[in-house]
């Protein structure tokens, strides 16, 4: 019945000039940077990536940036101006060969250079999957720490964008979370992106850095100008609360923040919102401390439900917090259909309404 | 094996050869055929002899080729405009400039030959039998689209046309697999596996070359070299831009992809070659007028003069129409009539692509698995919108 209503609603919108399927389902609310980081300037998420790469290239003479069309600024314009500033030896285009890009980066990093590779879309990373999983993740382990490719960082735009369809929308973090030796990071905002990307580039382990591409232009913040890092494997409590813990990352953080505000206002339910930030190794301490307090946990991500990273969090927390839990842990995620069907994105997404329903369920259990 | 089919193919091939050796003369039969020597001879790799440099066609064929190329050009113009109107969303890669490749190749293929291509698929989808509405309605996400509007651009399929593939280079080894099917079933058919000059640098292309040659598969690899791998020109992205030689042990040929008759002649030759000797690689030298996709204005890595020059000197439609009208094969009025017909039909197609019904939301849950158990539900996140999957 609800589904029928939703169908009607969507048809109503899609028949008029206003097309709901193209509307982004979140509101981005900027954070304020800590005062001790000094002067700030307005940047969108794309510019904050450029800024972090700029700092890396200027401070680390061995740093190189490469990928498909990056010398021209890349399809999302994240590397604009870097070739002119640092030369074509350090910022260069590669052929369209993702396996080659990843493997080349591993070799470069193993030889001691700071290798920053761009895979044009996270959906294109799978030709490089073997190199990342079998070569990059295991290099240190299988060589008994004689060799590693810790200086490798692979950036890739990920996530729903309103109309990306099956090859340009996926959130693929869980595939890589399954591979010990890799770190996986997903930022939620320009400030976070700059700090986390700089930390990722300098982290002595290979890091896969997924940038939610819908935020490239939509997310604008006053970002500290100076060099700073945000530590990996540290989640951030964005809103404190007592009744329900909601964990999310990337774009979904903004969805659940809105959910927390709505249920506070309409239902007087107090949610604690946590941005996981680093997917692996993840900050279970922050999450478990929160669940010990609230007794309820909802995890929400765009990736498909089955084997999404929410599954790992749920399994871990039910063991650690078994006696604290007041309700079964809920996951609000993408449906288990290939992600993301072109015309059905608005149905597929774990939108705020689905999250609100989940909040009601865990509270009323 | 179907004997009559084989005869048909043999006869049509003979017919093709007869046409090919027709003397270069337009005086006697001025109004029925055109013959000429192609402007640029084929570059050959590991081939002692290439196709005939003399090409010809009759009036009926000329009008047919012209009409099809115009349909594709108009379809792409409409797609581009609808994209700018936000009626088409997602990714949209236009084929404008490359029309002679699919029209010329298809003219030399048998109806049971297979084709697989990458994401610049609109022209190929149409030429393989999908209606103009099937293509455009897929782009606008309507039920009358060739994939029910479920996929959008890139996701286009029909009988013997395996898509429509979005990952760069991924379709090429599939083409080798499809070719093995033809060989295994003793079918007198080939598979045409197309890719761009950018995809030519993917590792799996070379895996496919090796398998195809190792097992002598009837596959025609076709590199549609339009000059740019997204924003990177061929010389910046490829250590060797002689794509027709990149198969090493796979014989190859460079073809002017802007000449529809030259393309057809080369394809006839390649088809015969592949059926007898195994894989062959055609590099079709062509050009794309639009950017890589709609989000690429196509001007940051090349200048407008370059595009204008190709439009003026090499455009596959204008060069062909000039040739056939100057030879007296068709009159400008006949072409004008086609243009008007194409325009009128596209207007109707556009209207339907904007107003045909959208797909039922139930389809979101279907086609995930083959005939799931009754009651199988796609795992989702919302108890209210669970639906039974079909």
């Amino acid at each position: 019945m609800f589904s029928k209503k939703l169908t009607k609603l969507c048809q109503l919108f899609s028949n008029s000039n206003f097309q709901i399927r193209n509307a982004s389902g979140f509101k981005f609310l900027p954070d304020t940077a800590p005062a001790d980081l000094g002067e700030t300037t307005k940047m969108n998420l794309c510019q904050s990536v450029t800024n972090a790469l700029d700092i890396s290239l200027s401070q680390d003479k061995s740093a190189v940036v490469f990928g498909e069309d990056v010398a021209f600024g890349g399809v999302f314009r994240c590397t604009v101006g870097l070739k002119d500033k640092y030369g074509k030896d350090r910022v260069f285009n590669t052929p369209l060969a993702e396996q080659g890009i990843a493997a080349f980066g591993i070799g470069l990093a193993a030889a001691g250079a700071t290798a920053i590779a761009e895979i044009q879309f996270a959906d294109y990373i799978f030709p490089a999957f073997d190199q990342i999983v079998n070569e990059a993740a295991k290099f240190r382990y299988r060589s008994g720490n004689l060799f590693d490719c810790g200086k490798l960082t692979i950036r890739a735009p990920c996530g729903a964008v309103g109309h990306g369809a099956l090859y340009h929308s996926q959130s693929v973090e869980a595939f890589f979370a399954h591979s010990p030796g890799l770190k996986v990071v997903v930022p939620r905002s320009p400030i976070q992106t700059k700090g986390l990307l700089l930390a990722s580039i300098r982290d002595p382990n290979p890091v896969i850095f997924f940038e939610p591409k819908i935020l490239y232009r939509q997310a604008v913040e006053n970002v500290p100008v100076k060099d700073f890092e945000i530590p990996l494997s540290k989640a951030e409590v964005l809103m404190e609360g007592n009744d329900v813990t909601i964990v999310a990352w990337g774009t979904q953080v903004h969805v659940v923040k809105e959910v927390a505000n709505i249920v506070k206002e309409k239902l007087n339910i107090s949610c604690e919102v946590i941005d996981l930030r680093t997917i692996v190794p993840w900050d279970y301490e922050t999450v478990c401390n929160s669940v010990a307090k609230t007794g309820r946990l909802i995890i929400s991500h765009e990736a498909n439900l089955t084997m999404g990273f929410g599954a790992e969090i749920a399994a871990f927390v039910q063991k650690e917090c078994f006696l604290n839990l007041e309700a079964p842990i809920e996951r609000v995620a993408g449906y288990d259909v290939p992600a993301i069907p072109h015309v059905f994105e608005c149905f597929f997404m774990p939108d705020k309404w689905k999250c609100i329903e989940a909040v009601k369920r865990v509270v009323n259990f | 094996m179907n004997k009559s089919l084989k005869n048909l193919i043999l006869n049509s091939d003979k017919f093709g050869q007869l046409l090919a050796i027709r003397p270069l003369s337009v005086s006697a039969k001025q109004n029925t055929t055109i013959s000429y020597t192609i402007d640029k001879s084929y570059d050959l790799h590991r081939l002692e002899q290439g196709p005939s440099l003399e090409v010809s066609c009759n009036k009926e064929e000329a009008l047919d080729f012209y009409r099809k190329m115009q349909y594709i050009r108009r379809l792409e113009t409409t797609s581009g405009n609808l994209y700018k109107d936000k009626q088409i969303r997602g990714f949209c890669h236009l084929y404008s400039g490359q029309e002679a490749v699919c029209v010329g190749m298809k003219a030399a293929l048998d109806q049971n030959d297979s084709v697989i291509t990458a994401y610049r698929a609109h022209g190929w989808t149409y030429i393989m039998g999908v209606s103009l509405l099937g293509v455009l309605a897929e782009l606008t996400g309507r039920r009358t689209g060739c994939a029910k509007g479920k996929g959008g651009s890139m996701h286009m399929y029909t009988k013997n046309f395996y898509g429509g593939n979005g990952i760069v280079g991924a379709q090429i080894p599939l083409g080798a697999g499809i070719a093995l099917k033809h060989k295994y079933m003793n079918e007198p058919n080939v598979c045409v596996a197309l890719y761009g000059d950018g995809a030519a640098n993917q590792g799996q292309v070379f895996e496919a070359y090796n398998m195809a040659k190792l097992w002598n598969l009837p596959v025609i690899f076709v590199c549609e070299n339009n000059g740019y791998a997204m924003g990177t020109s061929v010389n910046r992205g490829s250590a060797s831009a002689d794509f027709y030689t990149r198969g090493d042990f796979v014989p190859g040929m460079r073809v002017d992809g802007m000449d529809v008759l030259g393309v057809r002649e080369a394809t006839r030759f390649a088809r015969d070659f592949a059926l007898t000797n195994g894989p062959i690689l055609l590099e079709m030298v062509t050009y794309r007028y639009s950017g890589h996709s709609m989000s690429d204005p196509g001007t940051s890595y090349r200048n407008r003069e370059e595009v204008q020059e190709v439009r003026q000197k090499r455009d596959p439609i204008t060069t062909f129409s000039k040739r056939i009208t100057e030879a007296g094969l068709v009159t400008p009025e006949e072409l004008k009539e086609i243009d008007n017909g194409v325009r009128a039909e596209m207007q109707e197609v556009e209207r339907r692509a904007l107003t045909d019904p959208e797909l039922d939301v139930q389809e979101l849950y279907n086609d995930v698995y083959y005939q799931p158990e009754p009651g199988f539900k796609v795992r989702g996140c919302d108890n209210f919108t669970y639906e039974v999957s079909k």
Side-chain angles (χ1 to χ4, degrees), chain B residues 114-140:
Chain B
S114 311
V115 172
I116 186 166
T117 187
Y119 38 80
R120 204 173 301 286
H122 306 167
W124 273 103
T125 308
Y126 162 70
I127 213 76
M128 289 301 287
V130 171
S131 67
L132 296 163
L133 180 66
V135 176
L136 201 62
E138 185 58 37
L139 291 169
T140 55

PDB file of all heavy atoms in Angstrom, chain B residues 114-140:
ATOM      1  N   SER B 114      27.010 -11.433 -35.223  1.00  0.00           N
ATOM      2  CA  SER B 114      26.825 -10.772 -33.927  1.00  0.00           C
ATOM      3  C   SER B 114      27.659  -9.499 -33.859  1.00  0.00           C
ATOM      4  O   SER B 114      28.700  -9.392 -34.509  1.00  0.00           O
ATOM      5  CB  SER B 114      27.294 -11.685 -32.791  1.00  0.00           C
ATOM      6  OG  SER B 114      26.750 -12.946 -32.944  1.00  0.00           O
ATOM      7  N   VAL B 115      27.190  -8.595 -33.037  1.00  0.00           N
ATOM      8  CA  VAL B 115      27.916  -7.347 -32.821  1.00  0.00           C
ATOM      9  C   VAL B 115      27.914  -7.033 -31.332  1.00  0.00           C
ATOM     10  O   VAL B 115      26.916  -7.255 -30.641  1.00  0.00           O
ATOM     11  CB  VAL B 115      27.263  -6.177 -33.600  1.00  0.00           C
ATOM     12  CG1 VAL B 115      27.893  -4.843 -33.220  1.00  0.00           C
ATOM     13  CG2 VAL B 115      27.369  -6.383 -35.106  1.00  0.00           C
ATOM     14  N   ILE B 116      29.048  -6.571 -30.847  1.00  0.00           N
ATOM     15  CA  ILE B 116      29.103  -6.076 -29.462  1.00  0.00           C
ATOM     16  C   ILE B 116      29.945  -4.807 -29.464  1.00  0.00           C
ATOM     17  O   ILE B 116      30.967  -4.731 -30.154  1.00  0.00           O
ATOM     18  CB  ILE B 116      29.655  -7.140 -28.483  1.00  0.00           C
ATOM     19  CG1 ILE B 116      29.547  -6.649 -27.039  1.00  0.00           C
ATOM     20  CG2 ILE B 116      31.073  -7.555 -28.845  1.00  0.00           C
ATOM     21  CD1 ILE B 116      29.743  -7.739 -26.000  1.00  0.00           C
ATOM     22  N   THR B 117      29.490  -3.811 -28.754  1.00  0.00           N
ATOM     23  CA  THR B 117      30.239  -2.556 -28.758  1.00  0.00           C
ATOM     24  C   THR B 117      30.294  -1.972 -27.354  1.00  0.00           C
ATOM     25  O   THR B 117      29.833  -2.586 -26.380  1.00  0.00           O
ATOM     26  CB  THR B 117      29.634  -1.554 -29.767  1.00  0.00           C
ATOM     27  OG1 THR B 117      30.494  -0.406 -29.863  1.00  0.00           O
ATOM     28  CG2 THR B 117      28.255  -1.081 -29.338  1.00  0.00           C
ATOM     29  N   ALA B 118      30.859  -0.777 -27.255  1.00  0.00           N
ATOM     30  CA  ALA B 118      31.045  -0.143 -25.954  1.00  0.00           C
ATOM     31  C   ALA B 118      29.866   0.782 -25.666  1.00  0.00           C
ATOM     32  O   ALA B 118      28.741   0.472 -26.012  1.00  0.00           O
ATOM     33  CB  ALA B 118      32.368   0.599 -25.936  1.00  0.00           C
ATOM     34  N   TYR B 119      30.119   1.919 -25.072  1.00  0.00           N
ATOM     35  CA  TYR B 119      29.032   2.777 -24.617  1.00  0.00           C
ATOM     36  C   TYR B 119      28.572   3.785 -25.652  1.00  0.00           C
ATOM     37  O   TYR B 119      27.561   4.431 -25.472  1.00  0.00           O
ATOM     38  CB  TYR B 119      29.439   3.499 -23.335  1.00  0.00           C
ATOM     39  CG  TYR B 119      30.882   3.930 -23.345  1.00  0.00           C
ATOM     40  CD1 TYR B 119      31.270   5.068 -24.007  1.00  0.00           C
ATOM     41  CD2 TYR B 119      31.842   3.136 -22.734  1.00  0.00           C
ATOM     42  CE1 TYR B 119      32.604   5.422 -24.057  1.00  0.00           C
ATOM     43  CE2 TYR B 119      33.176   3.494 -22.783  1.00  0.00           C
ATOM     44  CZ  TYR B 119      33.552   4.639 -23.439  1.00  0.00           C
ATOM     45  OH  TYR B 119      34.872   4.980 -23.499  1.00  0.00           O
ATOM     46  N   ARG B 120      29.335   3.950 -26.744  1.00  0.00           N
ATOM     47  CA  ARG B 120      28.870   4.863 -27.799  1.00  0.00           C
ATOM     48  C   ARG B 120      27.992   4.045 -28.732  1.00  0.00           C
ATOM     49  O   ARG B 120      28.356   3.733 -29.858  1.00  0.00           O
ATOM     50  CB  ARG B 120      30.081   5.481 -28.519  1.00  0.00           C
ATOM     51  CG  ARG B 120      29.787   6.813 -29.193  1.00  0.00           C
ATOM     52  CD  ARG B 120      31.053   7.467 -29.732  1.00  0.00           C
ATOM     53  NE  ARG B 120      32.035   7.720 -28.702  1.00  0.00           N
ATOM     54  CZ  ARG B 120      31.950   8.687 -27.781  1.00  0.00           C
ATOM     55  NH1 ARG B 120      30.923   9.507 -27.804  1.00  0.00           N
ATOM     56  NH2 ARG B 120      32.873   8.826 -26.857  1.00  0.00           N
ATOM     57  N   ALA B 121      26.815   3.700 -28.224  1.00  0.00           N
ATOM     58  CA  ALA B 121      26.074   2.582 -28.814  1.00  0.00           C
ATOM     59  C   ALA B 121      24.824   2.976 -29.596  1.00  0.00           C
ATOM     60  O   ALA B 121      24.196   2.115 -30.192  1.00  0.00           O
ATOM     61  CB  ALA B 121      25.678   1.601 -27.703  1.00  0.00           C
ATOM     62  N   HIS B 122      24.454   4.247 -29.606  1.00  0.00           N
ATOM     63  CA  HIS B 122      23.150   4.585 -30.197  1.00  0.00           C
ATOM     64  C   HIS B 122      23.067   4.206 -31.675  1.00  0.00           C
ATOM     65  O   HIS B 122      22.085   3.614 -32.118  1.00  0.00           O
ATOM     66  CB  HIS B 122      22.851   6.084 -30.047  1.00  0.00           C
ATOM     67  CG  HIS B 122      22.942   6.576 -28.643  1.00  0.00           C
ATOM     68  ND1 HIS B 122      22.973   7.909 -28.306  1.00  0.00           N
ATOM     69  CD2 HIS B 122      23.019   5.911 -27.469  1.00  0.00           C
ATOM     70  CE1 HIS B 122      23.065   8.046 -27.005  1.00  0.00           C
ATOM     71  NE2 HIS B 122      23.106   6.844 -26.474  1.00  0.00           N
ATOM     72  N   GLY B 123      24.104   4.563 -32.443  1.00  0.00           N
ATOM     73  CA  GLY B 123      24.097   4.282 -33.876  1.00  0.00           C
ATOM     74  C   GLY B 123      24.044   2.782 -34.138  1.00  0.00           C
ATOM     75  O   GLY B 123      23.264   2.299 -34.965  1.00  0.00           O
ATOM     76  N   TRP B 124      24.851   2.046 -33.440  1.00  0.00           N
ATOM     77  CA  TRP B 124      24.891   0.601 -33.622  1.00  0.00           C
ATOM     78  C   TRP B 124      23.576  -0.049 -33.204  1.00  0.00           C
ATOM     79  O   TRP B 124      23.117  -1.006 -33.824  1.00  0.00           O
ATOM     80  CB  TRP B 124      26.070  -0.014 -32.851  1.00  0.00           C
ATOM     81  CG  TRP B 124      27.322  -0.011 -33.672  1.00  0.00           C
ATOM     82  CD1 TRP B 124      28.374   0.839 -33.554  1.00  0.00           C
ATOM     83  CD2 TRP B 124      27.626  -0.879 -34.771  1.00  0.00           C
ATOM     84  NE1 TRP B 124      29.318   0.553 -34.509  1.00  0.00           N
ATOM     85  CE2 TRP B 124      28.897  -0.493 -35.268  1.00  0.00           C
ATOM     86  CE3 TRP B 124      26.955  -1.939 -35.377  1.00  0.00           C
ATOM     87  CZ2 TRP B 124      29.499  -1.145 -36.340  1.00  0.00           C
ATOM     88  CZ3 TRP B 124      27.562  -2.575 -36.455  1.00  0.00           C
ATOM     89  CH2 TRP B 124      28.821  -2.186 -36.925  1.00  0.00           C
ATOM     90  N   THR B 125      22.969   0.461 -32.145  1.00  0.00           N
ATOM     91  CA  THR B 125      21.701  -0.115 -31.692  1.00  0.00           C
ATOM     92  C   THR B 125      20.652   0.036 -32.781  1.00  0.00           C
ATOM     93  O   THR B 125      19.930  -0.906 -33.119  1.00  0.00           O
ATOM     94  CB  THR B 125      21.220   0.599 -30.410  1.00  0.00           C
ATOM     95  OG1 THR B 125      22.288   0.593 -29.461  1.00  0.00           O
ATOM     96  CG2 THR B 125      20.015  -0.091 -29.818  1.00  0.00           C
ATOM     97  N   TYR B 126      20.597   1.233 -33.366  1.00  0.00           N
ATOM     98  CA  TYR B 126      19.629   1.487 -34.431  1.00  0.00           C
ATOM     99  C   TYR B 126      19.915   0.600 -35.641  1.00  0.00           C
ATOM    100  O   TYR B 126      19.020  -0.053 -36.170  1.00  0.00           O
ATOM    101  CB  TYR B 126      19.667   2.973 -34.811  1.00  0.00           C
ATOM    102  CG  TYR B 126      19.043   3.266 -36.154  1.00  0.00           C
ATOM    103  CD1 TYR B 126      17.662   3.151 -36.337  1.00  0.00           C
ATOM    104  CD2 TYR B 126      19.833   3.620 -37.244  1.00  0.00           C
ATOM    105  CE1 TYR B 126      17.098   3.386 -37.578  1.00  0.00           C
ATOM    106  CE2 TYR B 126      19.266   3.854 -38.485  1.00  0.00           C
ATOM    107  CZ  TYR B 126      17.905   3.736 -38.652  1.00  0.00           C
ATOM    108  OH  TYR B 126      17.351   3.957 -39.879  1.00  0.00           O
ATOM    109  N   ILE B 127      21.164   0.538 -36.043  1.00  0.00           N
ATOM    110  CA  ILE B 127      21.494  -0.185 -37.272  1.00  0.00           C
ATOM    111  C   ILE B 127      21.298  -1.694 -37.083  1.00  0.00           C
ATOM    112  O   ILE B 127      21.077  -2.430 -38.032  1.00  0.00           O
ATOM    113  CB  ILE B 127      22.939   0.161 -37.741  1.00  0.00           C
ATOM    114  CG1 ILE B 127      23.024   0.138 -39.261  1.00  0.00           C
ATOM    115  CG2 ILE B 127      23.963  -0.753 -37.160  1.00  0.00           C
ATOM    116  CD1 ILE B 127      22.424   1.314 -39.942  1.00  0.00           C
ATOM    117  N   MET B 128      21.356  -2.150 -35.844  1.00  0.00           N
ATOM    118  CA  MET B 128      21.148  -3.580 -35.587  1.00  0.00           C
ATOM    119  C   MET B 128      19.661  -3.926 -35.448  1.00  0.00           C
ATOM    120  O   MET B 128      19.321  -5.061 -35.151  1.00  0.00           O
ATOM    121  CB  MET B 128      21.910  -4.013 -34.330  1.00  0.00           C
ATOM    122  CG  MET B 128      23.422  -4.061 -34.505  1.00  0.00           C
ATOM    123  SD  MET B 128      23.974  -5.190 -35.810  1.00  0.00           S
ATOM    124  CE  MET B 128      23.691  -6.798 -35.029  1.00  0.00           C
ATOM    125  N   GLY B 129      18.813  -2.948 -35.617  1.00  0.00           N
ATOM    126  CA  GLY B 129      17.395  -3.302 -35.704  1.00  0.00           C
ATOM    127  C   GLY B 129      16.477  -2.677 -34.676  1.00  0.00           C
ATOM    128  O   GLY B 129      15.267  -2.886 -34.722  1.00  0.00           O
ATOM    129  N   VAL B 130      17.018  -1.935 -33.716  1.00  0.00           N
ATOM    130  CA  VAL B 130      16.139  -1.280 -32.749  1.00  0.00           C
ATOM    131  C   VAL B 130      15.566  -0.019 -33.408  1.00  0.00           C
ATOM    132  O   VAL B 130      16.272   0.693 -34.113  1.00  0.00           O
ATOM    133  CB  VAL B 130      16.916  -0.922 -31.463  1.00  0.00           C
ATOM    134  CG1 VAL B 130      16.075  -0.052 -30.544  1.00  0.00           C
ATOM    135  CG2 VAL B 130      17.347  -2.182 -30.749  1.00  0.00           C
ATOM    136  N   SER B 131      14.291   0.233 -33.165  1.00  0.00           N
ATOM    137  CA  SER B 131      13.676   1.414 -33.774  1.00  0.00           C
ATOM    138  C   SER B 131      14.276   2.687 -33.178  1.00  0.00           C
ATOM    139  O   SER B 131      14.878   2.662 -32.101  1.00  0.00           O
ATOM    140  CB  SER B 131      12.177   1.398 -33.522  1.00  0.00           C
ATOM    141  OG  SER B 131      11.933   1.575 -32.142  1.00  0.00           O
ATOM    142  N   LEU B 132      14.070   3.779 -33.870  1.00  0.00           N
ATOM    143  CA  LEU B 132      14.544   5.062 -33.339  1.00  0.00           C
ATOM    144  C   LEU B 132      13.909   5.334 -31.985  1.00  0.00           C
ATOM    145  O   LEU B 132      14.555   5.826 -31.056  1.00  0.00           O
ATOM    146  CB  LEU B 132      14.198   6.186 -34.312  1.00  0.00           C
ATOM    147  CG  LEU B 132      14.882   6.111 -35.681  1.00  0.00           C
ATOM    148  CD1 LEU B 132      14.177   7.002 -36.676  1.00  0.00           C
ATOM    149  CD2 LEU B 132      16.349   6.486 -35.563  1.00  0.00           C
ATOM    150  N   LEU B 133      12.636   4.973 -31.869  1.00  0.00           N
ATOM    151  CA  LEU B 133      11.955   5.172 -30.587  1.00  0.00           C
ATOM    152  C   LEU B 133      12.569   4.280 -29.508  1.00  0.00           C
ATOM    153  O   LEU B 133      12.733   4.705 -28.369  1.00  0.00           O
ATOM    154  CB  LEU B 133      10.452   4.868 -30.727  1.00  0.00           C
ATOM    155  CG  LEU B 133       9.640   5.032 -29.441  1.00  0.00           C
ATOM    156  CD1 LEU B 133       9.617   6.491 -28.998  1.00  0.00           C
ATOM    157  CD2 LEU B 133       8.223   4.509 -29.603  1.00  0.00           C
ATOM    158  N   GLY B 134      12.924   3.065 -29.894  1.00  0.00           N
ATOM    159  CA  GLY B 134      13.552   2.148 -28.937  1.00  0.00           C
ATOM    160  C   GLY B 134      14.810   2.738 -28.335  1.00  0.00           C
ATOM    161  O   GLY B 134      15.116   2.541 -27.159  1.00  0.00           O
ATOM    162  N   VAL B 135      15.563   3.473 -29.153  1.00  0.00           N
ATOM    163  CA  VAL B 135      16.789   4.106 -28.658  1.00  0.00           C
ATOM    164  C   VAL B 135      16.450   5.342 -27.826  1.00  0.00           C
ATOM    165  O   VAL B 135      16.884   5.478 -26.678  1.00  0.00           O
ATOM    166  CB  VAL B 135      17.714   4.506 -29.836  1.00  0.00           C
ATOM    167  CG1 VAL B 135      18.937   5.247 -29.326  1.00  0.00           C
ATOM    168  CG2 VAL B 135      18.127   3.285 -30.634  1.00  0.00           C
ATOM    169  N   LEU B 136      15.634   6.219 -28.402  1.00  0.00           N
ATOM    170  CA  LEU B 136      15.397   7.505 -27.742  1.00  0.00           C
ATOM    171  C   LEU B 136      14.588   7.330 -26.452  1.00  0.00           C
ATOM    172  O   LEU B 136      14.850   7.989 -25.446  1.00  0.00           O
ATOM    173  CB  LEU B 136      14.687   8.470 -28.699  1.00  0.00           C
ATOM    174  CG  LEU B 136      14.832   9.939 -28.329  1.00  0.00           C
ATOM    175  CD1 LEU B 136      16.286  10.365 -28.371  1.00  0.00           C
ATOM    176  CD2 LEU B 136      14.014  10.830 -29.261  1.00  0.00           C
ATOM    177  N   ALA B 137      13.617   6.408 -26.480  1.00  0.00           N
ATOM    178  CA  ALA B 137      12.804   6.196 -25.282  1.00  0.00           C
ATOM    179  C   ALA B 137      13.620   5.519 -24.183  1.00  0.00           C
ATOM    180  O   ALA B 137      13.338   5.676 -22.996  1.00  0.00           O
ATOM    181  CB  ALA B 137      11.572   5.361 -25.620  1.00  0.00           C
ATOM    182  N   GLU B 138      14.642   4.767 -24.571  1.00  0.00           N
ATOM    183  CA  GLU B 138      15.540   4.208 -23.561  1.00  0.00           C
ATOM    184  C   GLU B 138      16.285   5.348 -22.870  1.00  0.00           C
ATOM    185  O   GLU B 138      16.475   5.356 -21.651  1.00  0.00           O
ATOM    186  CB  GLU B 138      16.529   3.235 -24.211  1.00  0.00           C
ATOM    187  CG  GLU B 138      17.437   2.496 -23.233  1.00  0.00           C
ATOM    188  CD  GLU B 138      16.664   1.679 -22.208  1.00  0.00           C
ATOM    189  OE1 GLU B 138      15.623   1.101 -22.555  1.00  0.00           O
ATOM    190  OE2 GLU B 138      17.103   1.662 -21.039  1.00  0.00           O
ATOM    191  N   LEU B 139      16.677   6.325 -23.670  1.00  0.00           N
ATOM    192  CA  LEU B 139      17.405   7.456 -23.103  1.00  0.00           C
ATOM    193  C   LEU B 139      16.523   8.300 -22.193  1.00  0.00           C
ATOM    194  O   LEU B 139      16.995   8.854 -21.199  1.00  0.00           O
ATOM    195  CB  LEU B 139      17.966   8.334 -24.231  1.00  0.00           C
ATOM    196  CG  LEU B 139      19.094   7.708 -25.051  1.00  0.00           C
ATOM    197  CD1 LEU B 139      19.379   8.530 -26.285  1.00  0.00           C
ATOM    198  CD2 LEU B 139      20.348   7.584 -24.204  1.00  0.00           C
ATOM    199  N   THR B 140      15.247   8.400 -22.533  1.00  0.00           N
ATOM    200  CA  THR B 140      14.367   9.212 -21.693  1.00  0.00           C
ATOM    201  C   THR B 140      13.720   8.371 -20.584  1.00  0.00           C
ATOM    202  O   THR B 140      12.902   8.876 -19.831  1.00  0.00           O
ATOM    203  CB  THR B 140      13.248   9.878 -22.522  1.00  0.00           C
ATOM    204  OG1 THR B 140      12.543   8.868 -23.258  1.00  0.00           O
ATOM    205  CG2 THR B 140      13.802  10.907 -23.492  1.00  0.00           C
TER     206      THR B 140
END
